[in-house]
Amino acid sequence: MNENESNAGSGQLFEFYLSRWLCLLPLVFFIIPLLWMSVIRVGSMSVVLGFTLLGVILTSFFAKDQNKYWEVVTGGMLKPSVAMFVLIFTIVGIFAKMLAQSNVAGGVIWLASSAGVEGTMFTAFVFIACCLLSTGSGSSMATVLTLGPPLYPAGVILGADPFLLAGALVAGANFGDNLAPVSDTTIVSAAGQMYQNKEGPADIGGVVRSRFKYAIIAGVISLILYLFIGSGSKFLTPAEATALIAKYSYAKGLLMLIPVAVIIYFAVKGTHIATALTLGIVSGAIIGLVFGILGFDDFLMLKTAGKKMSLVGIIPDGVTMMIRQILVLMLLMGAGELIIETGLMQDMMGRLSNMVSKPAGTELMMCVLGALVGLMGGFAIMGMAIAAPFVNAMGQDQKIHPYKRANILDAMTTSTCHAIPWSKQLFVLAGLLTAMKETYDFVPVITTTDFFMYCFHPWILMILMPIAAIIGYGRIFEGKDGSVVKGYWKNEIPKEVL
């Protein structure tokens, strides 16, 4: 089989000169500046955007069909899911600017310092808060973007390590993204795993119940690590922290946690996250104006400097704050479409799926497939859609219950997406946290390579699932009418399911 042939599916595959592996070139150009900036301790979304765009452009010269290349890339950039990301990130930019301008972090600082919650205790609190919100809302991105602005700067002042704080935000978000019944990854992972002995895919209720043990084990271990790893921030001396607490402590800022609660309430109720964020902005504006925390000029003001005029304030600044991140994500989605259209990912998974013949080996290979598609850069839904048919076929061959198949696929794909430094989740969070330096000068420049190793929950889950596959923990088979037949610790298909 040559580089541009595939048995992974039907239809005309997209072709490159030299090798179809060149479809990964845009991802390489995305990763290079992240690694470089982590070494020189400088962060710039403009540099990341420029390199990513350059990678997409240079890759086009290796395409056999230039017109088709740009059709594939723009097709990936214009998917409905991408349009939703653009909308959400734009709204989040306004919300984050409003919270920063109203000094909500000052309210958290006042409360936490009065209660004596600081250092690693505050980091653990952030992890728990993110676990609760992500489980209720089912959205990891909404979780980090909602809780990051009020909790991150407060945590830095209160002596928590900034990198551990960022890791706790992502780890808590991963907890709910993997477990919540309303999570899109939970729904997609279940929908792709079909019963053999009855009609339909795995039911979400059963999937969530069966995966709780994995999520909670990883959650408890993560909480212990956040409590005991790291003695506090290395960026501030005790004297500096005391001075900053006095400077930024602002009891009235606690009122601006009400908009955060509004978002959480409506997100948990199942309201679309864009609507929930909008309600948070509206309620925040009302509270800020009524209690004198914000003025009308804070939202929109015409600024003049000689003959030059510009609009400044929460609304225009919030909209522009996330533009670079949005453009990078759109380019990555377009580049990700190339990986699918070349058949590269499908071929790799097809070959791996033919290498196993026992339940343990099959589950272990499912873990590999889930992690492999997770390496696409944090686009979990796209990855699951690619891997689901292979996981389904492998699992059915060994009579593995669709609950277990869905759990492995979701845990490995979602966790990989929340752990790798080129993940969209980590990338967007790093950009948001670094942007806070405009308001809080004590916030350090942070890149994804600074904190990806501290996203404990996804890393632990990625270790736990292969171990469970090898030793047989949680192994279940499909019995009559789709019933669960336990096969814990066994590496043979039970006779009652054959």
Side-chain angles (χ1 to χ4, degrees):
M1 180 180 293
N2 64 44
E3 283 291 336
N4 289 311
E5 291 175 346
S6 171
N7 294 323
S10 59
Q12 183 66 40
L13 295 176
F14 187 77
E15 297 182 333
F16 283 95
Y17 292 112
L18 301 179
S19 171
R20 62 181 173 178
W21 286 88
L22 287 168
C23 68
L24 299 176
L25 195 57
L27 184 60
V28 173
F29 271 76
F30 170 68
I31 296 172
I32 286 174
L34 293 179
L35 298 177
W36 173 57
M37 287 188 295
S38 69
V39 173
I40 64 174
R41 303 301 311 145
V42 173
S44 171
M45 291 300 110
S46 296
V47 171
V48 176
L49 173 58
F51 266 76
T52 307
L53 179 59
L54 181 62
V56 172
I57 293 173
L58 290 179
T59 305
S60 71
F61 292 113
F62 296 97
K64 288 188 175 182
D65 186 336
Q66 290 277 324
N67 292 334
K68 179 66 175 176
Y69 175 88
W70 290 111
E71 286 179 10
V72 172
V73 171
T74 55
M77 294 174 67
L78 297 176
K79 283 185 172 181
S81 58
V82 180
M84 185 52 61
F85 279 133
V86 172
L87 175 64
I88 291 174
F89 291 163
T90 304
I91 300 174
V92 163
I94 298 173
F95 180 69
K97 274 291 181 183
M98 183 180 69
L99 291 187
Q101 186 70 26
S102 61
N103 197 15
V104 65
V108 177
I109 292 166
W110 175 82
L111 181 63
S113 60
S114 300
V117 179
E118 56 187 21
T120 55
M121 282 293 292
F122 191 87
T123 304
F125 163 74
V126 169
F127 173 68
I128 294 172
C130 288
C131 285
L132 294 175
L133 176 54
S134 62
T135 302
S137 67
S139 173
S140 62
M141 191 63 74
T143 297
V144 297
L145 294 178
T146 301
L147 296 183
L151 297 183
Y152 182 74
V156 174
I157 282 185
L158 292 167
D161 186 286
F163 302 153
L164 281 169
L165 265 178
L169 282 164
V170 175
N174 183 73
F175 181 91
D177 201 17
N178 169 246
L179 183 63
V182 295
S183 168
D184 52 0
T185 62
T186 299
I187 295 168
V188 171
S189 66
Q193 303 308 308
M194 310 302 293
Y195 284 101
Q196 288 179 283
N197 299 326
K198 71 175 186 178
E199 293 293 326
D203 58 283
I204 293 175
V207 166
V208 171
R209 286 193 301 273
S210 63
R211 76 175 47 165
F212 179 79
K213 53 182 172 289
Y214 306 113
I216 200 65
I217 290 173
V220 170
I221 296 174
S222 300
L223 181 60
I224 293 172
L225 290 174
Y226 286 123
L227 281 170
F228 294 103
I229 286 187
S231 57
S233 174
K234 57 192 174 191
F235 290 90
L236 299 174
T237 65
E240 290 173 332
T242 300
L244 286 171
I245 289 174
K247 177 180 178 181
Y248 286 98
S249 185
Y250 181 58
K252 194 186 287 188
L254 279 176
L255 291 171
M256 294 304 289
L257 284 178
I258 296 175
V260 177
V262 169
I263 293 175
I264 294 172
Y265 172 77
F266 283 102
V268 170
K269 281 189 63 178
T271 305
H272 194 284
I273 186 60
T275 303
L277 285 167
T278 302
L279 291 171
I281 292 172
V282 172
S283 61
I286 294 172
I287 292 170
L289 293 170
V290 169
F291 288 93
I293 300 172
L294 297 170
F296 287 103
D297 288 348
D298 290 318
F299 288 91
L300 188 63
M301 181 177 65
L302 181 63
K303 185 177 181 180
T304 59
K307 295 182 179 181
K308 294 183 179 180
M309 294 188 296
S310 60
L311 287 171
V312 297
I314 291 170
I315 296 174
D317 293 346
V319 169
T320 58
M321 185 175 76
M322 302 295 286
I323 283 180
R324 294 178 183 85
Q325 289 92 324
I326 289 170
L327 290 175
V328 171
L329 289 175
M330 291 180 70
L331 288 170
L332 289 176
M333 285 296 285
E337 199 71 13
L338 291 171
I339 302 174
I340 299 173
E341 290 295 322
T342 57
L344 178 63
M345 185 65 71
Q346 295 91 325
D347 273 2
M348 292 174 63
M349 290 189 296
R351 291 170 184 174
L352 289 171
S353 65
N354 293 325
M355 296 169 58
V356 294
S357 59
K358 290 281 188 178
T362 299
E363 290 186 3
L364 191 59
M365 191 56 65
M366 290 178 186
C367 292
V368 173
L369 293 179
L372 185 62
V373 294
L375 293 174
M376 292 175 63
F379 305 105
I381 299 302
M382 182 190 297
M384 287 185 189
I386 296 171
F390 299 94
V391 171
N392 185 62
M394 292 168 60
Q396 287 186 342
D397 184 63
Q398 293 295 315
K399 310 299 181 184
I400 296 172
H401 201 280
Y403 289 172
K404 186 60 184 288
R405 288 182 253 140
N407 291 341
I408 293 175
L409 178 60
D410 192 316
M412 296 304 298
T413 305
T414 304
S415 295
T416 305
C417 290
H418 286 90
I420 55 177
W422 59 89
S423 153
K424 79 174 191 297
Q425 284 88 348
L426 274 66
F427 169 71
V428 171
L429 178 62
L432 179 67
L433 298 184
T434 300
M436 292 181 188
K437 198 170 184 67
E438 296 179 9
T439 305
Y440 306 103
D441 56 9
F442 57 85
V443 171
V445 172
I446 186 170
T447 66
T448 59
T449 51
D450 290 322
F451 66 91
F452 77 95
M453 70 289 288
Y454 298 125
C455 303
F456 293 139
H457 189 269
W459 283 111
I460 293 169
L461 204 54
M462 283 192 291
I463 296 171
L464 177 62
M465 297 308 290
I467 291 176
I470 293 171
I471 66 177
Y473 175 68
R475 180 166 296 141
I476 53 177
F477 298 90
E478 183 181 353
K480 184 178 180 181
D481 298 325
S483 60
V484 173
V485 176
K486 290 186 177 181
Y488 286 25
W489 325 115
K490 298 178 182 178
N491 195 26
E492 298 291 340
I493 303 174
K495 293 181 180 179
E496 59 263 39
V497 304
L498 291 172

mmCIF file of all heavy atoms in Angstrom, residues 341-371:
data_model
loop_
_atom_site.group_PDB
_atom_site.id
_atom_site.type_symbol
_atom_site.label_atom_id
_atom_site.label_comp_id
_atom_site.label_asym_id
_atom_site.label_seq_id
_atom_site.Cartn_x
_atom_site.Cartn_y
_atom_site.Cartn_z
ATOM 1 N N GLU A 341 -9.691 13.475 5.783
ATOM 2 C CA GLU A 341 -9.878 13.347 4.338
ATOM 3 C C GLU A 341 -8.775 12.540 3.667
ATOM 4 O O GLU A 341 -8.994 11.961 2.610
ATOM 5 C CB GLU A 341 -9.964 14.739 3.700
ATOM 6 C CG GLU A 341 -11.230 15.510 4.035
ATOM 7 C CD GLU A 341 -12.477 14.856 3.474
ATOM 8 O OE1 GLU A 341 -12.420 14.330 2.350
ATOM 9 O OE2 GLU A 341 -13.509 14.864 4.170
ATOM 10 N N THR A 342 -7.580 12.500 4.260
ATOM 11 C CA THR A 342 -6.512 11.682 3.691
ATOM 12 C C THR A 342 -6.661 10.205 4.038
ATOM 13 O O THR A 342 -6.009 9.352 3.437
ATOM 14 C CB THR A 342 -5.138 12.152 4.199
ATOM 15 O OG1 THR A 342 -5.119 12.107 5.629
ATOM 16 C CG2 THR A 342 -4.826 13.558 3.714
ATOM 17 N N GLY A 343 -7.523 9.892 5.016
ATOM 18 C CA GLY A 343 -7.696 8.515 5.461
ATOM 19 C C GLY A 343 -6.601 8.057 6.402
ATOM 20 O O GLY A 343 -6.565 6.888 6.786
ATOM 21 N N LEU A 344 -5.701 8.972 6.801
ATOM 22 C CA LEU A 344 -4.572 8.600 7.649
ATOM 23 C C LEU A 344 -5.025 8.046 8.993
ATOM 24 O O LEU A 344 -4.584 6.968 9.417
ATOM 25 C CB LEU A 344 -3.667 9.815 7.858
ATOM 26 C CG LEU A 344 -2.457 9.613 8.773
ATOM 27 C CD1 LEU A 344 -1.517 8.580 8.185
ATOM 28 C CD2 LEU A 344 -1.729 10.941 9.000
ATOM 29 N N MET A 345 -5.913 8.770 9.662
ATOM 30 C CA MET A 345 -6.352 8.335 10.982
ATOM 31 C C MET A 345 -7.111 7.016 10.906
ATOM 32 O O MET A 345 -6.906 6.107 11.718
ATOM 33 C CB MET A 345 -7.237 9.428 11.605
ATOM 34 C CG MET A 345 -7.655 9.146 13.032
ATOM 35 S SD MET A 345 -6.258 9.116 14.176
ATOM 36 C CE MET A 345 -5.830 10.847 14.221
ATOM 37 N N GLN A 346 -7.971 6.864 9.908
ATOM 38 C CA GLN A 346 -8.758 5.644 9.771
ATOM 39 C C GLN A 346 -7.867 4.433 9.525
ATOM 40 O O GLN A 346 -8.099 3.358 10.074
ATOM 41 C CB GLN A 346 -9.773 5.801 8.632
ATOM 42 C CG GLN A 346 -10.836 6.863 8.892
ATOM 43 C CD GLN A 346 -10.441 8.232 8.373
ATOM 44 O OE1 GLN A 346 -9.276 8.599 8.406
ATOM 45 N NE2 GLN A 346 -11.418 8.986 7.881
ATOM 46 N N ASP A 347 -6.833 4.596 8.704
ATOM 47 C CA ASP A 347 -5.933 3.485 8.414
ATOM 48 C C ASP A 347 -5.154 3.062 9.653
ATOM 49 O O ASP A 347 -4.980 1.873 9.924
ATOM 50 C CB ASP A 347 -4.955 3.879 7.309
ATOM 51 C CG ASP A 347 -5.518 3.628 5.926
ATOM 52 O OD1 ASP A 347 -6.678 3.176 5.839
ATOM 53 O OD2 ASP A 347 -4.821 3.897 4.926
ATOM 54 N N MET A 348 -4.673 4.038 10.414
ATOM 55 C CA MET A 348 -3.904 3.733 11.621
ATOM 56 C C MET A 348 -4.744 2.940 12.611
ATOM 57 O O MET A 348 -4.284 1.950 13.191
ATOM 58 C CB MET A 348 -3.413 5.030 12.258
ATOM 59 C CG MET A 348 -2.361 5.767 11.441
ATOM 60 S SD MET A 348 -1.938 7.380 12.143
ATOM 61 C CE MET A 348 -1.247 6.885 13.716
ATOM 62 N N MET A 349 -5.996 3.342 12.788
ATOM 63 C CA MET A 349 -6.867 2.650 13.735
ATOM 64 C C MET A 349 -7.267 1.278 13.216
ATOM 65 O O MET A 349 -7.391 0.317 13.978
ATOM 66 C CB MET A 349 -8.095 3.504 14.029
ATOM 67 C CG MET A 349 -7.777 4.737 14.849
ATOM 68 S SD MET A 349 -9.260 5.589 15.390
ATOM 69 C CE MET A 349 -9.929 6.075 13.812
ATOM 70 N N GLY A 350 -7.498 1.180 11.918
ATOM 71 C CA GLY A 350 -7.862 -0.107 11.349
ATOM 72 C C GLY A 350 -6.769 -1.139 11.542
ATOM 73 O O GLY A 350 -7.039 -2.300 11.863
ATOM 74 N N ARG A 351 -5.534 -0.738 11.364
ATOM 75 C CA ARG A 351 -4.416 -1.663 11.540
ATOM 76 C C ARG A 351 -4.247 -2.072 13.001
ATOM 77 O O ARG A 351 -3.960 -3.238 13.314
ATOM 78 C CB ARG A 351 -3.133 -1.006 11.020
ATOM 79 C CG ARG A 351 -3.118 -0.831 9.497
ATOM 80 C CD ARG A 351 -1.965 0.027 9.031
ATOM 81 N NE ARG A 351 -2.024 0.252 7.596
ATOM 82 C CZ ARG A 351 -1.211 1.048 6.932
ATOM 83 N NH1 ARG A 351 -0.279 1.712 7.583
ATOM 84 N NH2 ARG A 351 -1.328 1.191 5.626
ATOM 85 N N LEU A 352 -4.414 -1.115 13.904
ATOM 86 C CA LEU A 352 -4.295 -1.432 15.323
ATOM 87 C C LEU A 352 -5.390 -2.383 15.786
ATOM 88 O O LEU A 352 -5.152 -3.281 16.600
ATOM 89 C CB LEU A 352 -4.348 -0.138 16.149
ATOM 90 C CG LEU A 352 -3.134 0.779 16.072
ATOM 91 C CD1 LEU A 352 -3.421 2.101 16.765
ATOM 92 C CD2 LEU A 352 -1.909 0.114 16.676
ATOM 93 N N SER A 353 -6.600 -2.208 15.257
ATOM 94 C CA SER A 353 -7.737 -3.022 15.706
ATOM 95 C C SER A 353 -7.607 -4.482 15.298
ATOM 96 O O SER A 353 -8.281 -5.349 15.873
ATOM 97 C CB SER A 353 -9.049 -2.449 15.148
ATOM 98 O OG SER A 353 -9.076 -2.546 13.739
ATOM 99 N N ASN A 354 -6.750 -4.793 14.352
ATOM 100 C CA ASN A 354 -6.563 -6.176 13.900
ATOM 101 C C ASN A 354 -5.485 -6.910 14.679
ATOM 102 O O ASN A 354 -5.149 -8.050 14.355
ATOM 103 C CB ASN A 354 -6.204 -6.192 12.404
ATOM 104 C CG ASN A 354 -7.349 -5.728 11.525
ATOM 105 O OD1 ASN A 354 -8.512 -5.980 11.830
ATOM 106 N ND2 ASN A 354 -7.025 -5.037 10.434
ATOM 107 N N MET A 355 -4.943 -6.270 15.719
ATOM 108 C CA MET A 355 -3.799 -6.836 16.441
ATOM 109 C C MET A 355 -4.185 -7.547 17.731
ATOM 110 O O MET A 355 -3.303 -7.983 18.478
ATOM 111 C CB MET A 355 -2.795 -5.715 16.758
ATOM 112 C CG MET A 355 -2.188 -5.070 15.519
ATOM 113 S SD MET A 355 -1.248 -3.553 15.887
ATOM 114 C CE MET A 355 -0.024 -4.176 17.047
ATOM 115 N N VAL A 356 -5.479 -7.682 18.042
ATOM 116 C CA VAL A 356 -5.890 -8.233 19.339
ATOM 117 C C VAL A 356 -6.854 -9.397 19.167
ATOM 118 O O VAL A 356 -7.536 -9.513 18.153
ATOM 119 C CB VAL A 356 -6.562 -7.148 20.208
ATOM 120 C CG1 VAL A 356 -5.555 -6.077 20.584
ATOM 121 C CG2 VAL A 356 -7.730 -6.512 19.466
ATOM 122 N N SER A 357 -6.896 -10.279 20.201
ATOM 123 C CA SER A 357 -7.784 -11.449 20.118
ATOM 124 C C SER A 357 -8.382 -11.844 21.461
ATOM 125 O O SER A 357 -9.141 -12.804 21.532
ATOM 126 C CB SER A 357 -6.999 -12.642 19.557
ATOM 127 O OG SER A 357 -5.881 -12.943 20.386
ATOM 128 N N LYS A 358 -8.066 -11.138 22.547
ATOM 129 C CA LYS A 358 -8.586 -11.446 23.884
ATOM 130 C C LYS A 358 -9.240 -10.191 24.465
ATOM 131 O O LYS A 358 -8.937 -9.067 24.057
ATOM 132 C CB LYS A 358 -7.447 -11.903 24.808
ATOM 133 C CG LYS A 358 -6.883 -13.273 24.468
ATOM 134 C CD LYS A 358 -7.783 -14.382 24.981
ATOM 135 C CE LYS A 358 -7.121 -15.731 24.824
ATOM 136 N NZ LYS A 358 -7.968 -16.815 25.364
ATOM 137 N N PRO A 359 -10.141 -10.343 25.453
ATOM 138 C CA PRO A 359 -10.794 -9.172 26.053
ATOM 139 C C PRO A 359 -9.817 -8.122 26.579
ATOM 140 O O PRO A 359 -9.985 -6.930 26.334
ATOM 141 C CB PRO A 359 -11.638 -9.767 27.181
ATOM 142 C CG PRO A 359 -11.970 -11.142 26.693
ATOM 143 C CD PRO A 359 -10.746 -11.606 25.956
ATOM 144 N N ALA A 360 -8.770 -8.571 27.303
ATOM 145 C CA ALA A 360 -7.820 -7.614 27.872
ATOM 146 C C ALA A 360 -7.098 -6.854 26.765
ATOM 147 O O ALA A 360 -6.956 -5.623 26.815
ATOM 148 C CB ALA A 360 -6.810 -8.324 28.769
ATOM 149 N N GLY A 361 -6.626 -7.580 25.773
ATOM 150 C CA GLY A 361 -5.930 -6.932 24.667
ATOM 151 C C GLY A 361 -6.843 -6.013 23.881
ATOM 152 O O GLY A 361 -6.425 -4.944 23.417
ATOM 153 N N THR A 362 -8.101 -6.416 23.747
ATOM 154 C CA THR A 362 -9.069 -5.590 23.022
ATOM 155 C C THR A 362 -9.331 -4.287 23.762
ATOM 156 O O THR A 362 -9.326 -3.203 23.166
ATOM 157 C CB THR A 362 -10.391 -6.353 22.840
ATOM 158 O OG1 THR A 362 -10.142 -7.534 22.081
ATOM 159 C CG2 THR A 362 -11.417 -5.499 22.115
ATOM 160 N N GLU A 363 -9.545 -4.363 25.066
ATOM 161 C CA GLU A 363 -9.772 -3.149 25.853
ATOM 162 C C GLU A 363 -8.534 -2.252 25.842
ATOM 163 O O GLU A 363 -8.647 -1.024 25.770
ATOM 164 C CB GLU A 363 -10.150 -3.516 27.291
ATOM 165 C CG GLU A 363 -11.531 -4.137 27.418
ATOM 166 C CD GLU A 363 -11.947 -4.351 28.872
ATOM 167 O OE1 GLU A 363 -11.164 -3.952 29.766
ATOM 168 O OE2 GLU A 363 -13.035 -4.900 29.104
ATOM 169 N N LEU A 364 -7.366 -2.863 25.911
ATOM 170 C CA LEU A 364 -6.134 -2.084 25.882
ATOM 171 C C LEU A 364 -5.987 -1.374 24.542
ATOM 172 O O LEU A 364 -5.572 -0.205 24.490
ATOM 173 C CB LEU A 364 -4.933 -2.991 26.134
ATOM 174 C CG LEU A 364 -3.587 -2.296 26.385
ATOM 175 C CD1 LEU A 364 -3.679 -1.384 27.604
ATOM 176 C CD2 LEU A 364 -2.481 -3.339 26.574
ATOM 177 N N MET A 365 -6.349 -2.042 23.445
ATOM 178 C CA MET A 365 -6.253 -1.417 22.128
ATOM 179 C C MET A 365 -7.294 -0.306 21.988
ATOM 180 O O MET A 365 -7.050 0.708 21.329
ATOM 181 C CB MET A 365 -6.441 -2.458 21.036
ATOM 182 C CG MET A 365 -6.089 -1.941 19.646
ATOM 183 S SD MET A 365 -4.395 -1.279 19.551
ATOM 184 C CE MET A 365 -3.427 -2.758 19.848
ATOM 185 N N MET A 366 -8.462 -0.475 22.629
ATOM 186 C CA MET A 366 -9.447 0.607 22.644
ATOM 187 C C MET A 366 -8.860 1.852 23.325
ATOM 188 O O MET A 366 -9.094 2.986 22.875
ATOM 189 C CB MET A 366 -10.701 0.172 23.402
ATOM 190 C CG MET A 366 -11.543 -0.865 22.707
ATOM 191 S SD MET A 366 -12.953 -1.328 23.760
ATOM 192 C CE MET A 366 -13.647 -2.672 22.811
ATOM 193 N N CYS A 367 -8.096 1.615 24.394
ATOM 194 C CA CYS A 367 -7.445 2.737 25.081
ATOM 195 C C CYS A 367 -6.474 3.443 24.142
ATOM 196 O O CYS A 367 -6.414 4.678 24.110
ATOM 197 C CB CYS A 367 -6.698 2.238 26.317
ATOM 198 S SG CYS A 367 -7.754 1.634 27.654
ATOM 199 N N VAL A 368 -5.729 2.668 23.383
ATOM 200 C CA VAL A 368 -4.770 3.242 22.435
ATOM 201 C C VAL A 368 -5.493 4.066 21.371
ATOM 202 O O VAL A 368 -5.081 5.178 21.028
ATOM 203 C CB VAL A 368 -3.918 2.136 21.784
ATOM 204 C CG1 VAL A 368 -3.037 2.712 20.685
ATOM 205 C CG2 VAL A 368 -3.069 1.430 22.834
ATOM 206 N N LEU A 369 -6.583 3.509 20.840
ATOM 207 C CA LEU A 369 -7.335 4.215 19.800
ATOM 208 C C LEU A 369 -7.923 5.520 20.332
ATOM 209 O O LEU A 369 -7.889 6.558 19.658
ATOM 210 C CB LEU A 369 -8.455 3.327 19.260
ATOM 211 C CG LEU A 369 -8.039 2.076 18.486
ATOM 212 C CD1 LEU A 369 -9.261 1.298 18.046
ATOM 213 C CD2 LEU A 369 -7.190 2.441 17.293
ATOM 214 N N GLY A 370 -8.479 5.471 21.551
ATOM 215 C CA GLY A 370 -9.052 6.672 22.147
ATOM 216 C C GLY A 370 -8.008 7.751 22.357
ATOM 217 O O GLY A 370 -8.245 8.931 22.080
ATOM 218 N N ALA A 371 -6.829 7.353 22.863
ATOM 219 C CA ALA A 371 -5.754 8.325 23.069
ATOM 220 C C ALA A 371 -5.238 8.859 21.745
ATOM 221 O O ALA A 371 -4.910 10.042 21.620
ATOM 222 C CB ALA A 371 -4.612 7.673 23.857
#
